[in-house]
Amino acid sequence: MGETQQLKRTLTLFQVFFMGLAWMTPMIFFTSFGILFEASKGMLTAAYMLAFIAIFFTASSYGKMAKAYPVSGSALTYITKAIHPFIGFLVGWAILLDYFFSCIIAVLMFGININAQFPSIPTYVWIILLDAVIMIINIVGIKSSANVSRVFVIMQIIFIVLFCSVVLHHFLGNETLNAHSLRNPFTMHSNVTFSNILIGASIVCFSFLGFDSITTMAEETINPKKNIPRAIMMIIIVAAVLYFITAYLIELSYPNFTFKNPDSAGFELVKTVGGNLLSSIFIFILIFAIFTQGVSSMTTVSRLLFVMGRNSLLSKKAFGYVHPKFKTPVFNIILVSILSLSSIFISLDTCIKFVNFGALVAFMFVNISVIAHYFVKEKKRTLKECVSYLISPFIGAGFIFYLLTLLDKWSLILGSAWLLIGLIYLAVITKKKQVYELKRSEVLDKKVKVE
């Protein structure tokens, strides 16, 4: 297992695009509808718009750093190279929360939804089954993952278009609703303040997570300097259009919609809109959507672990290993599969808290890394370059930092505890390296004396 090899460069622009959309999962709008609806006090469209603004600046920064460093590693690589290895490690450690728990969320939601349809079979059976299938697909190769992702992402988009068509038909056929016509998404509920919408936006950012994941596949992408930035912008624009239209049509057509359970609110919404037929189609598509997200999430986290292993932040022998036949980091994939089984015991709410903290920390520092690399080190300071490499990432970093402060206290406590564990781990491996270097130096000195 000690052999470290190169990843295989096979992914095209559209394969990377679909991998990112699969990780993001457009159907996440429905699976997280109840949680996001409550967080935004019903002002979903406005919250999505504010979240998109923050994400747009950050996505632009990811694209710029992907051009500067077209290698796997995402935020870990960018911050290590542009700012400092110590900060890079901590941010990489933080984003592991995002990637690890995204895998857990995928298999957990799969188990919950299938169990709802087949209650006689325990949830953990479905979780174990999906986990095993995802592991095998990832081991066989990333191109197979991309091909699977494309089909299921298209299925999700078709369903969302169908759902919106039914909602629009309801709106146009209802004279009472038509009397209100189109309304400002920021003033639909007069009792909701702008600060409430901002708090909602900090949680709604969860729906956009995934565009950053494709930067971990740079070494497997053809012409990554060009294709990774393009794919990033394509992903967030397509997702934003889908989210905006769906949320706005729901707020116009069902202004008084309520639900019994936040976890199943999306299903309740679909059933209200389209009855049993649409809800059956919803469950069918959702199963494949969650499956695809699981495949993409495992691909992403296994690549990040590979980079950390290759850089000796983790065991190079294990984490930096690439299978000679499949050209995939098999050890990492198996490890992530084992850790994903913790979804049998953990709650969805806890998973989302970990994901949001890790992602927002990484987003903030990637914006800062653009300033450090281009404006400070490369001294790109013309008027146009100042806008691109100073003002834009500064706005992105500031917006993300503000959203980070709006997370609930448990998100901040759990995230901070994880960073503390990372600091302790870093101190241990640093001390071991120092001891090794000292012993190596002593051995060399003895050899020189003997000679």
Side-chain angles (χ1 to χ4, degrees), residues 34-56:
I35 296 171
L36 303 184
F37 187 89
E38 289 184 340
S40 62
K41 306 292 185 184
M43 301 283 282
L44 259 182
T45 309
Y48 270 116
M49 287 180 173
L50 291 177
F52 173 74
I53 293 171
I55 294 299
F56 179 83

Side-chain angles (χ1 to χ4, degrees), residues 61-83:
S61 290
Y62 266 93
K64 290 163 187 169
M65 294 309 292
K67 287 181 180 179
Y69 303 106
V71 295
S72 297
S74 187
L76 169 67
T77 298
Y78 304 154
I79 294 152
T80 296
K81 300 281 190 182
I83 303 176

Side-chain angles (χ1 to χ4, degrees), residues 149-327:
S149 299
R150 179 177 58 208
V151 174
F152 294 151
V153 165
I154 291 172
M155 288 171 62
Q156 293 177 63
I157 293 174
I158 291 172
F159 174 81
I160 293 172
V161 171
L162 174 63
F163 175 84
C164 289
S165 299
V166 176
V167 175
L168 182 60
H169 181 267
H170 170 76
F171 175 75
L172 295 176
N174 191 311
E175 292 183 3
T176 304
L177 294 173
N178 268 318
H180 294 289
S181 190
L182 302 182
R183 292 181 290 169
N184 186 335
F186 286 87
T187 59
M188 283 191 174
H189 300 286
S190 57
N191 60 327
V192 179
T193 64
F194 188 72
S195 61
N196 291 142
I197 300 173
L198 279 171
I199 292 172
S202 69
I203 307 299
V204 166
C205 279
F206 171 74
S207 299
F208 286 99
L209 304 186
F211 73 87
D212 58 308
S213 67
I214 63 172
T215 58
T216 65
M217 306 169 203
E219 291 178 41
E220 294 159 281
T221 301
I222 299 167
N223 194 2
K225 284 189 176 184
K226 182 178 179 181
N227 287 334
I228 293 294
R230 281 185 177 181
I232 287 173
M233 299 310 295
M234 287 166 61
I235 288 166
I236 65 163
I237 289 172
V238 168
V241 170
L242 292 174
Y243 296 153
F244 292 167
I245 293 174
T246 309
Y248 190 57
L249 286 175
I250 291 169
E251 290 182 17
L252 285 177
S253 303
Y254 299 90
N256 301 314
F257 175 74
T258 58
F259 45 85
K260 296 178 181 178
N261 183 356
D263 290 341
S264 60
F267 178 78
E268 293 178 42
L269 172 67
V270 173
K271 196 164 187 178
T272 300
V273 170
N276 291 330
L277 176 59
L278 193 63
S279 60
S280 297
I281 297 173
F282 168 74
I283 290 295
F284 177 77
I285 301 294
L286 182 63
I287 289 169
F288 289 107
I290 295 171
F291 168 76
T292 313
Q293 187 209 351
V295 171
S296 298
S297 298
M298 190 174 290
T299 299
T300 299
V301 71
S302 63
R303 270 57 181 182
L304 179 59
L305 290 170
F306 168 75
V307 172
M308 295 181 82
R310 187 173 62 184
N311 295 345
S312 298
L313 296 173
L314 298 172
S315 169
K316 190 171 185 177
K317 196 173 186 179
F319 293 94
Y321 170 76
V322 176
H323 192 279
K325 179 181 178 181
F326 299 120
K327 301 297 182 183

Side-chain angles (χ1 to χ4, degrees), residues 49 70 114 136 141 150 170 219 333-334 353 359 393 404 420 449:
M49 287 180 173
I114 299 295
I136 292 169
R150 179 177 58 208
H170 170 76
E219 291 178 41
I333 293 168
I334 294 172
K353 287 175 180 176
L404 186 62
L420 180 60
K449 288 178 181 179

Side-chain angles (χ1 to χ4, degrees), residues 340-392:
S340 294
L341 293 177
S342 63
S343 56
I344 296 171
F345 314 103
I346 200 167
S347 72
L348 184 60
D349 183 57
T350 301
C351 291
I352 290 176
K353 287 175 180 176
F354 273 117
V355 167
N356 277 346
F357 179 87
L360 291 178
V361 167
F363 289 176
M364 181 176 69
F365 276 97
V366 168
N367 280 301
I368 295 172
S369 71
V370 171
I371 299 172
H373 175 76
Y374 287 102
F375 188 77
V376 177
K377 290 184 177 180
E378 298 289 323
K379 299 187 185 302
K380 294 184 179 294
R381 297 175 183 175
T382 65
L383 180 59
K384 183 180 178 181
E385 289 169 343
C386 282
V387 172
S388 182
Y389 303 129
L390 177 63
I391 297 174
S392 174

Side-chain angles (χ1 to χ4, degrees), residues 19-155:
M19 286 285 283
L21 261 187
W23 200 105
M24 183 180 286
T25 315
M27 292 285 281
I28 198 74
F29 177 90
F30 298 101
T31 57
S32 60
F33 177 80
I35 296 171
L36 303 184
F37 187 89
E38 289 184 340
S40 62
K41 306 292 185 184
M43 301 283 282
L44 259 182
T45 309
Y48 270 116
M49 287 180 173
L50 291 177
F52 173 74
I53 293 171
I55 294 299
F56 179 83
F57 284 107
T58 301
S60 176
S61 290
Y62 266 93
K64 290 163 187 169
M65 294 309 292
K67 287 181 180 179
Y69 303 106
V71 295
S72 297
S74 187
L76 169 67
T77 298
Y78 304 154
I79 294 152
T80 296
K81 300 281 190 182
I83 303 176
H84 193 275
F86 173 74
I87 298 175
F89 171 82
L90 285 181
V91 173
W93 188 262
I95 207 170
L96 276 176
L97 284 176
D98 177 3
Y99 294 165
F100 266 131
F101 279 90
S102 293
C103 294
I104 294 171
I105 287 173
V107 293
L108 177 58
M109 288 196 301
F110 184 87
I112 290 172
N113 284 280
I114 299 295
N115 176 254
Q117 295 299 304
F118 305 99
S120 59
I121 303 176
T123 301
Y124 69 83
V125 173
W126 297 114
I127 288 174
I128 294 170
L129 179 62
L130 177 66
D131 196 47
V133 172
I134 289 173
M135 179 183 70
I136 292 169
I137 290 175
N138 269 275
I139 288 174
V140 169
I142 194 167
K143 196 164 186 177
S144 64
S145 301
N147 292 332
V148 168
S149 299
R150 179 177 58 208
V151 174
F152 294 151
V153 165
I154 291 172
M155 288 171 62

